[in-house]
Amino acid sequence: MKLLEDRIRKDGLVRDTDVLKVDSFLNHQLDVSLLNSIGEEFYRIYKDEGITKIVTVEASGIAIASLTGIHFNVPVVFAKKAKSKNIEGDVYTSKVHSFTYGRDYDVTISKKFLSEKDRVLLIDDFLANGKAMRGLLDICEQAGASVAGIGICIEKEFQGGGDELRSQGYHLTSLARITKMTENEIEFSERE
Ligand code: 5GP
């Protein structure tokens, strides 16, 4: 998506060769007009898939998922990064290794909000090693929900998570795919 690539080139900041900061428009301060265009693009790609729910993980995924949900007119559910225990057995839980913080955390979704009747579009801001997405896929499997697709804003291709998911047959769409980045330059793969 040219609009997103141009914005990353203009306002993205590379840290430590593998972390891209986009907090001036995507995950801290939000350019809602850009997010709306992202949502529109995901709708264009997945509109015929019978999506009943958009699922993401807090916090950065929520705004993107919400502006995607508007176009599909379906509920948005975000997995919580939980500290509380699953005493009542009323939540689905999966363990995720955080790329940005270098530690494990649990993600949970209440059983009330996801079931085998759901056909899900998974959304996130970044795809790196794919651990966050694995957690969401695990939760969908526990719920018996079917996964129609995965929509990512920025995939860092060189970290391999995307290739792994594609080779397993998931319909993964990344709107900007970075092949290489340095402090001075960000390279994108050819748009499909
Ligand atoms: P993965 O689980 O695929 O390794 O990493 C994806 C998650 O880590 C995303 O939910 C995102 O919040 C965070 N993340 C991964 N890489 C980056 C990055 O370069 N910049 C930012 N801001 N977040 C990232």
Side-chain angles (χ1 to χ4, degrees), residues 120-138:
V120 171
L121 175 61
L122 296 171
I123 295 282
D124 207 359
D125 58 346
F126 276 91
L127 182 67
N129 299 304
K131 306 288 188 210
M133 207 32 76
R134 291 277 164 210
L136 295 182
L137 287 165
D138 181 24

Side-chain angles (χ1 to χ4, degrees), residues 63-101:
I64 301 155
S66 299
L67 282 153
T68 304
I70 287 271
H71 297 281
F72 285 88
N73 196 23
V74 299
V76 172
V77 182
F78 63 91
K80 296 194 171 193
K81 292 177 178 169
K83 290 185 188 70
S84 58
K85 292 204 172 72
N86 180 15
I87 298 168
E88 313 266 328
D90 56 353
V91 294
Y92 304 113
T93 304
S94 188
K95 198 168 280 305
V96 171
H97 182 77
S98 165
F99 172 78
T100 32
Y101 297 104

Side-chain angles (χ1 to χ4, degrees), residues 139-170:
I139 283 179
C140 287
E141 197 180 326
Q142 291 174 42
S146 67
V147 174
I150 302 173
I152 298 292
C153 293
I154 305 170
E155 175 181 341
K156 291 179 293 176
E157 274 191 358
F158 55 90
Q159 287 175 303
D163 282 349
E164 218 175 281
L165 289 166
R166 286 188 187 89
S167 71
Q168 287 168 1
Y170 290 105

Side-chain angles (χ1 to χ4, degrees), residues 22-23 37 42-43 64 109 112 124 127 145 148 168 184-185:
V22 288
D23 58 357
S37 300
F42 285 138
Y43 181 69
I64 301 155
I109 288 183
K112 282 186 291 195
D124 207 359
L127 182 67
Q168 287 168 1
N184 307 316
E185 207 188 355

Side-chain angles (χ1 to χ4, degrees), residues 53-66:
K53 230 156 247 189
I54 313 272
V55 172
T56 187
V57 60
E58 71 176 354
S60 307
I62 297 175
I64 301 155
S66 299

